Amino acid sequence: DKSLIEHSIDKLIYHGVEEIIIGTGHLASAFNEIKDKYKCITIVKNEEYATTSSMATLARCIEQCSDDAYILEADLIYDSIGIFALKNHFLDNVMLASGFTNSTDEVWLDADKDMWLLYLSKDKLKINNLVGELVGITKLSEEFMHKMLALYNTNIDKYKIKDYESVIAE
């Protein structure tokens, strides 16, 4: 009797998240009821969602963010231990990874022997040392997000950037 995003919101609140920014585009009005139910939510709509990308939506959200953040995709089913692990990790910038899912929408991760991220891509052929897949839950520092935003905003062809993962990779 709850949507996937409501389950996610509940997990974030349980782990102490006090402010949640939801970036929307298509069917943005569907989030109005959720916003009314959870007072900690701000909705940021990407009016150009049809011709832009997930990074364009994330850029609008980063502009509203004044702290470190978790970046979550809205269509995830996950255990709250993932949020716990990221929250308690000693590093400021951490991606949650999984084994191989064969979901056809993978973001492949390339890492060194100590599991430091070297590269990520939706193109498996660009990965040298395949270690897993991005789950779609990432903890980023405010500083890193603003570096992403600066990189995105200085890119002449920024609207050709397909997704936020490619900006993280760069």
Side-chain angles (χ1 to χ4, degrees):
D1 56 335
K2 281 188 184 179
S3 65
L4 290 177
I5 197 161
E6 286 180 273
H7 282 285
S8 197
I9 291 166
D10 289 342
K11 289 171 187 171
L12 290 167
I13 291 170
Y14 176 81
H15 286 287
V17 174
E18 296 177 354
E19 181 182 5
I20 298 171
I21 300 170
I22 299 175
T24 68
H26 181 64
L27 297 175
S29 61
F31 293 93
N32 292 337
E33 186 177 316
I34 292 171
K35 185 179 184 293
D36 293 340
K37 184 175 179 181
Y38 298 92
K39 302 305 178 196
C40 60
I41 291 178
T42 300
I43 304 290
V44 175
K45 184 175 181 185
N46 176 3
E47 297 288 347
E48 300 171 338
Y49 71 88
T51 58
T52 60
S53 64
S54 64
M55 185 59 212
T57 302
L58 180 57
R60 288 162 175 78
C61 293
I62 291 172
E63 291 168 351
Q64 302 294 315
C65 189
S66 60
D67 204 347
D68 299 351
Y70 302 102
I71 310 299
L72 284 83
E73 297 178 14
D75 59 350
L76 300 175
I77 298 172
Y78 64 95
D79 191 289
S80 70
I81 193 78
I83 299 297
F84 177 84
L86 292 179
K87 177 181 178 182
N88 291 292
H89 200 281
F90 67 95
L91 293 173
D92 294 332
N93 301 294
V94 183
M95 294 179 150
L96 195 60
S98 73
F100 306 109
T101 64
N102 298 314
S103 68
T104 71
D105 189 29
E106 298 92 350
V107 175
W108 305 102
L109 302 176
D110 185 347
D112 67 16
K113 64 179 177 54
D114 296 318
M115 294 305 290
W116 287 96
L117 182 69
L118 299 173
Y119 191 68
L120 59 115
S121 177
K122 289 188 176 190
D123 183 352
K124 192 175 186 179
L125 299 175
K126 292 184 178 181
I127 302 298
N128 293 320
N129 183 31
L130 185 60
V131 296
E133 297 175 21
L134 177 65
V135 169
I137 305 174
T138 305
K139 177 179 81 168
L140 296 176
S141 67
E142 181 181 8
E143 177 185 7
F144 189 86
M145 287 187 295
H146 284 282
K147 286 180 181 179
M148 288 175 64
L149 186 60
L151 181 63
Y152 176 72
N153 285 332
T154 58
N155 189 318
I156 293 171
D157 293 326
K158 70 181 181 181
Y159 291 118
K160 290 184 180 179
I161 294 174
K162 298 293 181 208
D163 48 53
Y164 73 93
E165 296 96 342
S166 63
V167 177
I168 288 174
E170 193 169 329

